[in-house]
Each structure stands twice: as C-alpha cells, then as structure tokens.
Amino acid sequence: MTQVATKKIFCRYFDTVTVEQLCEMLHMGKNTAYKLLRSGEIKSVRVGGKYVIATKWVVEYIYDNCL
C-alpha cells in the first residue's frame, strides 16, 4: 500500500481528527489510543486539554509501525 492509497482511505476525515476518530481509523480502543498519544508514538498537540491529531501523523504512524 502506498501513501497515496492510505490518504485515499482516510479522505473522509478532515486534516485533524479527534481521539474517537483515531480509534475508528486504526480500529483500536480509547485506552490504546491514549497510550500511543501520551507516549508520543502518534504525534499530537494538546489544546485546552484535548488532543488534536493531524491525519498525516496517523498515516506516518501506520508507515513507521504497521507496514
């Protein structure tokens, strides 16, 4: 799978996603998602106590860890 193919899979998401959307994208539970975010394995920014995750960071995580 190429990066272009991965971007097409996630094309229905905006440029940034919530933790709930991250869970949907990667088929994982919230506990696992928060663990990955806290550890920095998936890049994110905290704004007002909430995680903001760029969709491109999710794609990078997939390429670095899953393929």
Side-chain angles (χ1 to χ4, degrees):
M1 184 182 312
T2 66
Q3 261 187 322
V4 173
T6 306
K7 287 180 184 178
K8 285 183 180 182
I9 292 169
F10 295 142
C11 68
R12 68 186 185 120
Y13 296 99
F14 292 110
D15 290 338
T16 61
V17 295
T18 63
V19 174
E20 290 78 12
Q21 291 170 319
L22 174 67
C23 293
E24 183 179 296
M25 293 166 86
L26 299 180
H27 302 279
M28 64 175 56
K30 281 187 180 181
N31 289 337
T32 303
Y34 280 114
K35 179 181 170 188
L36 292 170
L37 292 168
R38 281 192 302 269
S39 71
E41 288 185 64
I42 296 178
K43 296 178 192 174
S44 65
V45 176
R46 298 237 1 191
V47 177
K50 293 188 176 192
Y51 286 97
V52 178
I53 308 127
T55 303
K56 72 175 191 169
W57 294 337
V58 178
V59 172
E60 287 175 9
Y61 171 77
I62 291 169
Y63 276 89
D64 292 344
N65 297 283
C66 301
L67 296 179

Short mmCIF file of all heavy atoms in Angstrom, two decimals:
data_model
loop_
_atom_site.label_atom_id
_atom_site.label_comp_id
_atom_site.label_asym_id
_atom_site.label_seq_id
_atom_site.Cartn_x
_atom_site.Cartn_y
_atom_site.Cartn_z
N MET A 1 0.85 -1.17 0.00
CA MET A 1 0.00 0.00 0.00
C MET A 1 0.90 1.24 0.00
O MET A 1 1.82 1.34 0.77
CB MET A 1 -0.89 -0.02 1.25
CG MET A 1 -1.86 1.10 1.27
SD MET A 1 -2.92 1.19 2.74
CE MET A 1 -3.52 -0.44 2.94
N THR A 2 0.58 2.19 -0.84
CA THR A 2 1.38 3.41 -0.93
C THR A 2 0.78 4.49 -0.05
O THR A 2 -0.35 4.36 0.43
CB THR A 2 1.42 3.91 -2.38
OG1 THR A 2 0.09 4.30 -2.75
CG2 THR A 2 1.95 2.86 -3.32
N GLN A 3 1.52 5.57 0.13
CA GLN A 3 1.00 6.68 0.92
C GLN A 3 -0.22 7.28 0.24
O GLN A 3 -1.15 7.70 0.92
CB GLN A 3 2.07 7.76 1.12
CG GLN A 3 2.72 7.65 2.47
CD GLN A 3 3.65 8.80 2.74
OE1 GLN A 3 4.34 9.27 1.86
NE2 GLN A 3 3.68 9.23 3.97
N VAL A 4 -0.24 7.30 -1.06
CA VAL A 4 -1.40 7.83 -1.79
C VAL A 4 -2.62 6.98 -1.50
O VAL A 4 -3.71 7.49 -1.25
CB VAL A 4 -1.11 7.89 -3.31
CG1 VAL A 4 -2.35 8.28 -4.08
CG2 VAL A 4 0.03 8.85 -3.59
N ALA A 5 -2.46 5.66 -1.49
CA ALA A 5 -3.58 4.77 -1.20
C ALA A 5 -4.08 4.98 0.22
O ALA A 5 -5.30 5.01 0.45
CB ALA A 5 -3.15 3.32 -1.39
N THR A 6 -3.17 5.17 1.16
CA THR A 6 -3.57 5.40 2.55
C THR A 6 -4.33 6.71 2.67
O THR A 6 -5.33 6.79 3.37
CB THR A 6 -2.33 5.42 3.47
OG1 THR A 6 -1.60 4.23 3.27
CG2 THR A 6 -2.73 5.52 4.91
N LYS A 7 -3.87 7.74 1.98
CA LYS A 7 -4.56 9.02 2.02
C LYS A 7 -5.97 8.90 1.46
O LYS A 7 -6.89 9.53 1.95
CB LYS A 7 -3.77 10.08 1.27
CG LYS A 7 -2.53 10.53 2.02
CD LYS A 7 -1.76 11.58 1.25
CE LYS A 7 -0.48 11.94 1.98
NZ LYS A 7 0.31 12.91 1.24
N LYS A 8 -6.15 8.07 0.42
CA LYS A 8 -7.48 7.87 -0.15
C LYS A 8 -8.40 7.17 0.84
O LYS A 8 -9.58 7.47 0.91
CB LYS A 8 -7.39 7.08 -1.45
CG LYS A 8 -6.86 7.90 -2.60
CD LYS A 8 -6.84 7.09 -3.89
CE LYS A 8 -6.30 7.93 -5.02
NZ LYS A 8 -6.30 7.21 -6.29
N ILE A 9 -7.85 6.24 1.61
CA ILE A 9 -8.65 5.53 2.60
C ILE A 9 -9.17 6.50 3.65
O ILE A 9 -10.31 6.40 4.10
CB ILE A 9 -7.82 4.41 3.27
CG1 ILE A 9 -7.53 3.31 2.26
CG2 ILE A 9 -8.54 3.85 4.49
CD1 ILE A 9 -6.51 2.29 2.73
N PHE A 10 -8.34 7.47 4.03
CA PHE A 10 -8.70 8.41 5.08
C PHE A 10 -9.24 9.73 4.53
O PHE A 10 -9.33 10.71 5.25
CB PHE A 10 -7.49 8.69 5.97
CG PHE A 10 -7.02 7.49 6.75
CD1 PHE A 10 -5.68 7.26 6.95
CD2 PHE A 10 -7.92 6.58 7.29
CE1 PHE A 10 -5.24 6.16 7.68
CE2 PHE A 10 -7.50 5.48 8.01
CZ PHE A 10 -6.16 5.27 8.20
N CYS A 11 -9.63 9.77 3.26
CA CYS A 11 -10.06 11.03 2.64
C CYS A 11 -11.33 11.59 3.26
O CYS A 11 -11.59 12.78 3.15
CB CYS A 11 -10.22 10.87 1.14
SG CYS A 11 -11.59 9.81 0.64
N ARG A 12 -12.11 10.78 3.94
CA ARG A 12 -13.35 11.28 4.53
C ARG A 12 -13.11 12.04 5.83
O ARG A 12 -14.02 12.64 6.39
CB ARG A 12 -14.36 10.16 4.74
CG ARG A 12 -13.97 9.16 5.79
CD ARG A 12 -14.98 8.02 5.82
NE ARG A 12 -14.68 7.11 6.89
CZ ARG A 12 -15.52 6.84 7.87
NH1 ARG A 12 -16.71 7.41 7.89
NH2 ARG A 12 -15.19 6.00 8.80
N TYR A 13 -11.89 12.02 6.32
CA TYR A 13 -11.54 12.74 7.54
C TYR A 13 -10.95 14.10 7.20
O TYR A 13 -10.35 14.28 6.15
CB TYR A 13 -10.51 11.94 8.36
CG TYR A 13 -11.05 10.62 8.85
CD1 TYR A 13 -10.77 9.44 8.18
CD2 TYR A 13 -11.86 10.55 9.98
CE1 TYR A 13 -11.26 8.23 8.62
CE2 TYR A 13 -12.36 9.34 10.43
CZ TYR A 13 -12.06 8.19 9.74
OH TYR A 13 -12.57 6.99 10.18
N PHE A 14 -11.14 15.05 8.11
CA PHE A 14 -10.55 16.37 7.94
C PHE A 14 -9.05 16.29 8.16
O PHE A 14 -8.51 15.23 8.44
CB PHE A 14 -11.18 17.37 8.91
CG PHE A 14 -12.61 17.68 8.61
CD1 PHE A 14 -13.63 17.22 9.43
CD2 PHE A 14 -12.95 18.42 7.49
CE1 PHE A 14 -14.96 17.50 9.14
CE2 PHE A 14 -14.28 18.71 7.19
CZ PHE A 14 -15.28 18.24 8.02
N ASP A 15 -8.38 17.42 8.08
CA ASP A 15 -6.93 17.46 8.28
C ASP A 15 -6.53 17.11 9.70
O ASP A 15 -5.42 16.65 9.94
CB ASP A 15 -6.37 18.85 7.93
CG ASP A 15 -6.43 19.13 6.44
OD1 ASP A 15 -6.48 18.16 5.65
OD2 ASP A 15 -6.41 20.31 6.06
N THR A 16 -7.42 17.34 10.66
CA THR A 16 -7.17 16.92 12.04
C THR A 16 -8.32 16.04 12.49
O THR A 16 -9.45 16.16 12.01
CB THR A 16 -7.06 18.13 13.00
OG1 THR A 16 -8.27 18.87 12.98
CG2 THR A 16 -5.89 19.02 12.61
N VAL A 17 -8.00 15.13 13.42
CA VAL A 17 -9.02 14.21 13.92
C VAL A 17 -9.01 14.20 15.44
O VAL A 17 -8.04 14.60 16.08
CB VAL A 17 -8.79 12.77 13.39
CG1 VAL A 17 -8.97 12.71 11.89
CG2 VAL A 17 -7.43 12.23 13.78
N THR A 18 -10.10 13.71 16.01
CA THR A 18 -10.23 13.57 17.45
C THR A 18 -9.74 12.18 17.86
O THR A 18 -9.47 11.32 17.00
CB THR A 18 -11.71 13.71 17.86
OG1 THR A 18 -12.45 12.63 17.26
CG2 THR A 18 -12.30 15.04 17.43
N VAL A 19 -9.68 11.96 19.15
CA VAL A 19 -9.29 10.64 19.65
C VAL A 19 -10.30 9.59 19.19
O VAL A 19 -9.92 8.48 18.79
CB VAL A 19 -9.16 10.65 21.19
CG1 VAL A 19 -8.91 9.25 21.72
CG2 VAL A 19 -8.06 11.59 21.63
N GLU A 20 -11.57 9.93 19.21
CA GLU A 20 -12.60 8.98 18.77
C GLU A 20 -12.41 8.61 17.31
O GLU A 20 -12.55 7.44 16.94
CB GLU A 20 -14.00 9.58 19.00
CG GLU A 20 -14.40 9.71 20.44
CD GLU A 20 -13.78 10.91 21.17
OE1 GLU A 20 -13.18 11.80 20.50
OE2 GLU A 20 -13.86 10.93 22.40
N GLN A 21 -12.10 9.58 16.48
CA GLN A 21 -11.86 9.31 15.06
C GLN A 21 -10.58 8.50 14.87
O GLN A 21 -10.54 7.61 14.01
CB GLN A 21 -11.79 10.61 14.27
CG GLN A 21 -13.12 11.32 14.18
CD GLN A 21 -12.99 12.72 13.62
OE1 GLN A 21 -12.06 13.45 13.95
NE2 GLN A 21 -13.94 13.09 12.76
N LEU A 22 -9.55 8.79 15.67
CA LEU A 22 -8.32 8.00 15.62
C LEU A 22 -8.62 6.53 15.91
O LEU A 22 -8.13 5.64 15.21
CB LEU A 22 -7.31 8.55 16.63
CG LEU A 22 -6.03 7.74 16.81
CD1 LEU A 22 -5.18 7.79 15.55
CD2 LEU A 22 -5.25 8.26 18.01
N CYS A 23 -9.43 6.29 16.92
CA CYS A 23 -9.82 4.91 17.26
C CYS A 23 -10.53 4.24 16.09
O CYS A 23 -10.27 3.07 15.78
CB CYS A 23 -10.74 4.91 18.48
SG CYS A 23 -9.95 5.44 20.00
N GLU A 24 -11.39 4.98 15.43
CA GLU A 24 -12.12 4.45 14.27
C GLU A 24 -11.15 4.14 13.13
O GLU A 24 -11.24 3.10 12.48
CB GLU A 24 -13.14 5.51 13.83
CG GLU A 24 -14.03 5.10 12.70
CD GLU A 24 -15.01 6.23 12.36
OE1 GLU A 24 -15.84 6.57 13.21
OE2 GLU A 24 -14.89 6.77 11.24
N MET A 25 -10.22 5.05 12.89
CA MET A 25 -9.27 4.89 11.79
C MET A 25 -8.38 3.67 11.98
O MET A 25 -8.10 2.94 11.02
CB MET A 25 -8.38 6.13 11.67
CG MET A 25 -9.10 7.38 11.25
SD MET A 25 -8.10 8.86 11.51
CE MET A 25 -7.18 8.91 9.99
N LEU A 26 -7.92 3.45 13.21
CA LEU A 26 -6.96 2.38 13.48
C LEU A 26 -7.59 1.15 14.12
O LEU A 26 -6.88 0.20 14.48
CB LEU A 26 -5.83 2.92 14.37
CG LEU A 26 -5.02 4.06 13.78
CD1 LEU A 26 -3.94 4.50 14.76
CD2 LEU A 26 -4.41 3.66 12.46
N HIS A 27 -8.91 1.16 14.28
CA HIS A 27 -9.63 0.02 14.86
C HIS A 27 -9.03 -0.38 16.21
O HIS A 27 -8.61 -1.53 16.41
CB HIS A 27 -9.63 -1.17 13.90
CG HIS A 27 -10.24 -0.86 12.58
ND1 HIS A 27 -11.60 -0.85 12.38
CD2 HIS A 27 -9.68 -0.52 11.39
CE1 HIS A 27 -11.84 -0.53 11.12
NE2 HIS A 27 -10.69 -0.32 10.51
N MET A 28 -9.00 0.61 17.11
CA MET A 28 -8.44 0.35 18.44
C MET A 28 -9.33 1.04 19.47
O MET A 28 -10.14 1.90 19.15
CB MET A 28 -7.01 0.87 18.55
CG MET A 28 -6.87 2.37 18.42
SD MET A 28 -5.21 3.02 18.70
CE MET A 28 -4.23 2.14 17.55
N GLY A 29 -9.15 0.63 20.70
CA GLY A 29 -9.90 1.22 21.80
C GLY A 29 -9.27 2.53 22.27
O GLY A 29 -8.13 2.86 21.93
N LYS A 30 -10.03 3.26 23.08
CA LYS A 30 -9.56 4.55 23.57
C LYS A 30 -8.33 4.40 24.47
O LYS A 30 -7.43 5.24 24.42
CB LYS A 30 -10.67 5.27 24.34
CG LYS A 30 -11.68 5.93 23.46
CD LYS A 30 -12.63 6.77 24.30
CE LYS A 30 -13.66 7.45 23.43
NZ LYS A 30 -14.56 8.28 24.21
N ASN A 31 -8.28 3.37 25.29
CA ASN A 31 -7.13 3.20 26.17
C ASN A 31 -5.84 3.07 25.37
O ASN A 31 -4.82 3.70 25.70
CB ASN A 31 -7.29 1.99 27.09
CG ASN A 31 -8.34 2.20 28.15
OD1 ASN A 31 -8.66 3.33 28.50
ND2 ASN A 31 -8.89 1.11 28.65
N THR A 32 -5.87 2.29 24.31
CA THR A 32 -4.69 2.11 23.46
C THR A 32 -4.36 3.42 22.76
O THR A 32 -3.19 3.80 22.67
CB THR A 32 -4.93 1.00 22.42
OG1 THR A 32 -5.25 -0.20 23.11
CG2 THR A 32 -3.72 0.79 21.55
N ALA A 33 -5.37 4.12 22.27
CA ALA A 33 -5.14 5.39 21.58
C ALA A 33 -4.48 6.40 22.52
O ALA A 33 -3.48 7.04 22.15
CB ALA A 33 -6.45 5.94 21.04
N TYR A 34 -5.00 6.53 23.73
CA TYR A 34 -4.42 7.48 24.68
C TYR A 34 -2.99 7.08 25.05
O TYR A 34 -2.13 7.94 25.22
CB TYR A 34 -5.28 7.60 25.93
CG TYR A 34 -6.48 8.50 25.73
CD1 TYR A 34 -7.78 8.00 25.78
CD2 TYR A 34 -6.32 9.87 25.50
CE1 TYR A 34 -8.87 8.83 25.60
CE2 TYR A 34 -7.41 10.71 25.31
CZ TYR A 34 -8.68 10.18 25.37
OH TYR A 34 -9.76 11.01 25.18
N LYS A 35 -2.73 5.80 25.16
CA LYS A 35 -1.37 5.32 25.46
C LYS A 35 -0.41 5.75 24.35
O LYS A 35 0.70 6.23 24.62
CB LYS A 35 -1.38 3.81 25.62
CG LYS A 35 -0.04 3.20 25.91
CD LYS A 35 -0.14 1.68 26.03
CE LYS A 35 1.23 1.06 26.07
NZ LYS A 35 1.18 -0.40 25.98
N LEU A 36 -0.81 5.56 23.10
CA LEU A 36 0.03 5.94 21.96
C LEU A 36 0.24 7.45 21.89
O LEU A 36 1.32 7.92 21.54
CB LEU A 36 -0.57 5.42 20.66
CG LEU A 36 -0.58 3.91 20.48
CD1 LEU A 36 -1.42 3.52 19.27
CD2 LEU A 36 0.83 3.38 20.35
N LEU A 37 -0.79 8.21 22.24
CA LEU A 37 -0.68 9.66 22.21
C LEU A 37 0.22 10.17 23.34
O LEU A 37 1.08 11.02 23.13
CB LEU A 37 -2.07 10.30 22.30
CG LEU A 37 -2.96 10.08 21.08
CD1 LEU A 37 -4.39 10.48 21.39
CD2 LEU A 37 -2.43 10.83 19.87
N ARG A 38 0.02 9.64 24.54
CA ARG A 38 0.83 10.06 25.69
C ARG A 38 2.30 9.73 25.50
O ARG A 38 3.18 10.51 25.89
CB ARG A 38 0.31 9.43 26.99
CG ARG A 38 -0.90 10.11 27.57
CD ARG A 38 -1.17 9.63 28.99
NE ARG A 38 -1.36 8.19 29.07
CZ ARG A 38 -2.52 7.56 28.97
NH1 ARG A 38 -3.63 8.26 28.79
NH2 ARG A 38 -2.59 6.26 29.06
N SER A 39 2.57 8.59 24.89
CA SER A 39 3.97 8.16 24.69
C SER A 39 4.63 8.90 23.53
O SER A 39 5.85 8.84 23.38
CB SER A 39 4.02 6.66 24.42
OG SER A 39 3.49 6.35 23.14
N GLY A 40 3.84 9.55 22.69
CA GLY A 40 4.39 10.25 21.53
C GLY A 40 4.55 9.37 20.30
O GLY A 40 5.05 9.82 19.28
N GLU A 41 4.12 8.11 20.41
CA GLU A 41 4.20 7.22 19.24
C GLU A 41 3.35 7.76 18.09
O GLU A 41 3.71 7.60 16.93
CB GLU A 41 3.78 5.80 19.60
CG GLU A 41 4.79 5.08 20.46
CD GLU A 41 4.39 3.65 20.70
OE1 GLU A 41 4.34 2.88 19.71
OE2 GLU A 41 4.13 3.30 21.87
N ILE A 42 2.21 8.34 18.43
CA ILE A 42 1.42 9.08 17.46
C ILE A 42 1.53 10.55 17.86
O ILE A 42 1.20 10.91 18.99
CB ILE A 42 -0.06 8.63 17.44
CG1 ILE A 42 -0.17 7.17 17.00
CG2 ILE A 42 -0.87 9.54 16.50
CD1 ILE A 42 -1.58 6.63 17.01
N LYS A 43 2.02 11.37 16.96
CA LYS A 43 2.19 12.79 17.25
C LYS A 43 0.83 13.44 17.49
O LYS A 43 -0.17 13.05 16.87
CB LYS A 43 2.87 13.49 16.09
CG LYS A 43 4.27 13.03 15.81
CD LYS A 43 4.80 13.77 14.60
CE LYS A 43 6.08 13.14 14.09
NZ LYS A 43 6.53 13.77 12.84
N SER A 44 0.82 14.42 18.36
CA SER A 44 -0.41 15.16 18.63
C SER A 44 -0.06 16.48 19.31
O SER A 44 1.07 16.69 19.72
CB SER A 44 -1.34 14.34 19.52
OG SER A 44 -0.74 14.14 20.80
N VAL A 45 -1.06 17.33 19.42
CA VAL A 45 -0.95 18.60 20.13
C VAL A 45 -2.11 18.67 21.09
O VAL A 45 -3.23 18.27 20.75
CB VAL A 45 -1.01 19.79 19.13
CG1 VAL A 45 -0.99 21.11 19.86
CG2 VAL A 45 0.10 19.71 18.12
N ARG A 46 -1.84 19.14 22.29
CA ARG A 46 -2.93 19.30 23.28
C ARG A 46 -3.41 20.74 23.22
O ARG A 46 -2.63 21.67 23.34
CB ARG A 46 -2.43 18.97 24.67
CG ARG A 46 -1.99 17.54 24.75
CD ARG A 46 -2.58 16.66 25.72
NE ARG A 46 -3.60 17.15 26.58
CZ ARG A 46 -4.04 16.47 27.62
NH1 ARG A 46 -3.52 15.32 27.91
NH2 ARG A 46 -5.01 16.94 28.36
N VAL A 47 -4.70 20.90 23.05
CA VAL A 47 -5.32 22.22 23.01
C VAL A 47 -6.49 22.19 23.98
O VAL A 47 -7.44 21.44 23.79
CB VAL A 47 -5.81 22.57 21.58
CG1 VAL A 47 -6.52 23.92 21.58
CG2 VAL A 47 -4.67 22.55 20.59
N GLY A 48 -6.37 22.98 25.02
CA GLY A 48 -7.45 23.04 26.00
C GLY A 48 -7.76 21.70 26.63
O GLY A 48 -8.91 21.39 26.90
N GLY A 49 -6.75 20.88 26.82
CA GLY A 49 -6.96 19.58 27.45
C GLY A 49 -7.37 18.47 26.50
O GLY A 49 -7.53 17.34 26.90
N LYS A 50 -7.57 18.80 25.23
CA LYS A 50 -7.94 17.79 24.23
C LYS A 50 -6.79 17.56 23.27
O LYS A 50 -6.02 18.46 22.98
CB LYS A 50 -9.18 18.25 23.45
CG LYS A 50 -10.43 18.32 24.28
CD LYS A 50 -11.62 18.57 23.40
CE LYS A 50 -12.87 18.54 24.27
NZ LYS A 50 -14.08 18.49 23.46
N TYR A 51 -6.72 16.34 22.78
CA TYR A 51 -5.72 16.01 21.77
C TYR A 51 -6.22 16.41 20.39
O TYR A 51 -7.37 16.14 20.04
CB TYR A 51 -5.44 14.51 21.76
CG TYR A 51 -4.61 14.03 22.93
CD1 TYR A 51 -5.21 13.47 24.04
CD2 TYR A 51 -3.23 14.14 22.92
CE1 TYR A 51 -4.45 13.02 25.12
CE2 TYR A 51 -2.45 13.69 23.98
CZ TYR A 51 -3.08 13.14 25.08
OH TYR A 51 -2.32 12.70 26.13
N VAL A 52 -5.35 17.04 19.63
CA VAL A 52 -5.62 17.33 18.22
C VAL A 52 -4.56 16.56 17.44
O VAL A 52 -3.37 16.73 17.66
CB VAL A 52 -5.53 18.85 17.92
CG1 VAL A 52 -5.76 19.12 16.45
CG2 VAL A 52 -6.52 19.62 18.78
N ILE A 53 -5.02 15.71 16.53
CA ILE A 53 -4.12 14.81 15.80
C ILE A 53 -4.27 15.10 14.31
O ILE A 53 -5.37 15.01 13.76
CB ILE A 53 -4.47 13.34 16.09
CG1 ILE A 53 -4.54 13.09 17.59
CG2 ILE A 53 -3.49 12.40 15.42
CD1 ILE A 53 -5.81 12.45 18.05
N ALA A 54 -3.16 15.42 13.67
CA ALA A 54 -3.18 15.63 12.22
C ALA A 54 -3.33 14.27 11.54
O ALA A 54 -2.68 13.29 11.92
CB ALA A 54 -1.89 16.31 11.75
N THR A 55 -4.18 14.21 10.54
CA THR A 55 -4.38 12.96 9.81
C THR A 55 -3.06 12.46 9.23
O THR A 55 -2.79 11.26 9.22
CB THR A 55 -5.43 13.15 8.70
OG1 THR A 55 -6.64 13.64 9.31
CG2 THR A 55 -5.73 11.86 7.97
N LYS A 56 -2.21 13.38 8.80
CA LYS A 56 -0.92 12.96 8.23
C LYS A 56 -0.06 12.28 9.28
O LYS A 56 0.74 11.41 8.96
CB LYS A 56 -0.19 14.13 7.59
CG LYS A 56 0.40 15.14 8.53
CD LYS A 56 1.19 16.19 7.78
CE LYS A 56 1.99 17.03 8.75
NZ LYS A 56 2.94 17.87 8.05
N TRP A 57 -0.22 12.63 10.57
CA TRP A 57 0.53 11.97 11.63
C TRP A 57 0.04 10.54 11.83
O TRP A 57 0.81 9.66 12.17
CB TRP A 57 0.45 12.74 12.93
CG TRP A 57 1.13 14.09 12.89
CD1 TRP A 57 2.13 14.47 12.03
CD2 TRP A 57 0.87 15.20 13.72
NE1 TRP A 57 2.50 15.77 12.29
CE2 TRP A 57 1.74 16.24 13.32
CE3 TRP A 57 -0.02 15.44 14.76
CZ2 TRP A 57 1.76 17.49 13.95
CZ3 TRP A 57 0.00 16.69 15.38
CH2 TRP A 57 0.88 17.69 14.97
N VAL A 58 -1.24 10.31 11.59
CA VAL A 58 -1.78 8.95 11.67
C VAL A 58 -1.18 8.11 10.54
O VAL A 58 -0.76 6.97 10.74
CB VAL A 58 -3.32 8.95 11.60
CG1 VAL A 58 -3.87 7.53 11.63
CG2 VAL A 58 -3.92 9.79 12.73
N VAL A 59 -1.12 8.69 9.34
CA VAL A 59 -0.54 8.00 8.19
C VAL A 59 0.93 7.69 8.46
O VAL A 59 1.41 6.58 8.19
CB VAL A 59 -0.72 8.83 6.90
CG1 VAL A 59 0.05 8.21 5.73
CG2 VAL A 59 -2.19 8.98 6.57
N GLU A 60 1.66 8.66 9.03
CA GLU A 60 3.07 8.43 9.37
C GLU A 60 3.21 7.28 10.37
O GLU A 60 4.10 6.44 10.24
CB GLU A 60 3.69 9.70 9.97
CG GLU A 60 3.95 10.78 8.96
CD GLU A 60 4.45 12.06 9.61
OE1 GLU A 60 4.76 12.06 10.82
OE2 GLU A 60 4.53 13.08 8.89
N TYR A 61 2.34 7.24 11.36
CA TYR A 61 2.37 6.16 12.35
C TYR A 61 2.18 4.80 11.67
O TYR A 61 2.90 3.85 11.96
CB TYR A 61 1.30 6.37 13.43
CG TYR A 61 1.16 5.19 14.34
CD1 TYR A 61 2.08 4.94 15.34
CD2 TYR A 61 0.11 4.28 14.17
CE1 TYR A 61 1.97 3.84 16.16
CE2 TYR A 61 0.00 3.18 14.99
CZ TYR A 61 0.92 2.96 15.99
OH TYR A 61 0.81 1.85 16.79
N ILE A 62 1.24 4.73 10.76
CA ILE A 62 0.97 3.48 10.04
C ILE A 62 2.22 3.04 9.28
O ILE A 62 2.62 1.88 9.34
CB ILE A 62 -0.24 3.63 9.09
CG1 ILE A 62 -1.51 3.79 9.92
CG2 ILE A 62 -0.34 2.45 8.14
CD1 ILE A 62 -2.72 4.20 9.11
N TYR A 63 2.84 3.95 8.56
CA TYR A 63 4.01 3.61 7.77
C TYR A 63 5.22 3.25 8.63
O TYR A 63 6.00 2.38 8.27
CB TYR A 63 4.35 4.72 6.78
CG TYR A 63 3.54 4.56 5.54
CD1 TYR A 63 2.30 5.16 5.44
CD2 TYR A 63 3.96 3.76 4.49
CE1 TYR A 63 1.51 4.98 4.31
CE2 TYR A 63 3.20 3.57 3.38
CZ TYR A 63 1.97 4.17 3.28
OH TYR A 63 1.18 3.98 2.20
N ASP A 64 5.36 3.92 9.76
CA ASP A 64 6.51 3.66 10.63
C ASP A 64 6.35 2.38 11.44
O ASP A 64 7.35 1.73 11.79
CB ASP A 64 6.74 4.82 11.60
CG ASP A 64 7.22 6.08 10.89
OD1 ASP A 64 7.65 5.98 9.72
OD2 ASP A 64 7.15 7.16 11.51
N ASN A 65 5.13 1.96 11.74
CA ASN A 65 4.92 0.88 12.69
C ASN A 65 4.12 -0.31 12.18
O ASN A 65 4.17 -1.37 12.78
CB ASN A 65 4.20 1.43 13.94
CG ASN A 65 5.04 2.45 14.64
OD1 ASN A 65 5.98 2.10 15.33
ND2 ASN A 65 4.73 3.71 14.46
N CYS A 66 3.39 -0.13 11.11
CA CYS A 66 2.47 -1.20 10.70
C CYS A 66 2.78 -1.82 9.36
O CYS A 66 2.27 -2.87 9.04
CB CYS A 66 1.04 -0.66 10.69
SG CYS A 66 0.51 -0.05 12.31
N LEU A 67 3.58 -1.17 8.56
CA LEU A 67 3.85 -1.72 7.22
C LEU A 67 5.26 -2.24 7.13
O LEU A 67 6.15 -1.92 7.79
CB LEU A 67 3.63 -0.65 6.15
CG LEU A 67 2.21 -0.15 6.03
CD1 LEU A 67 2.12 0.92 4.95
CD2 LEU A 67 1.24 -1.26 5.70
#
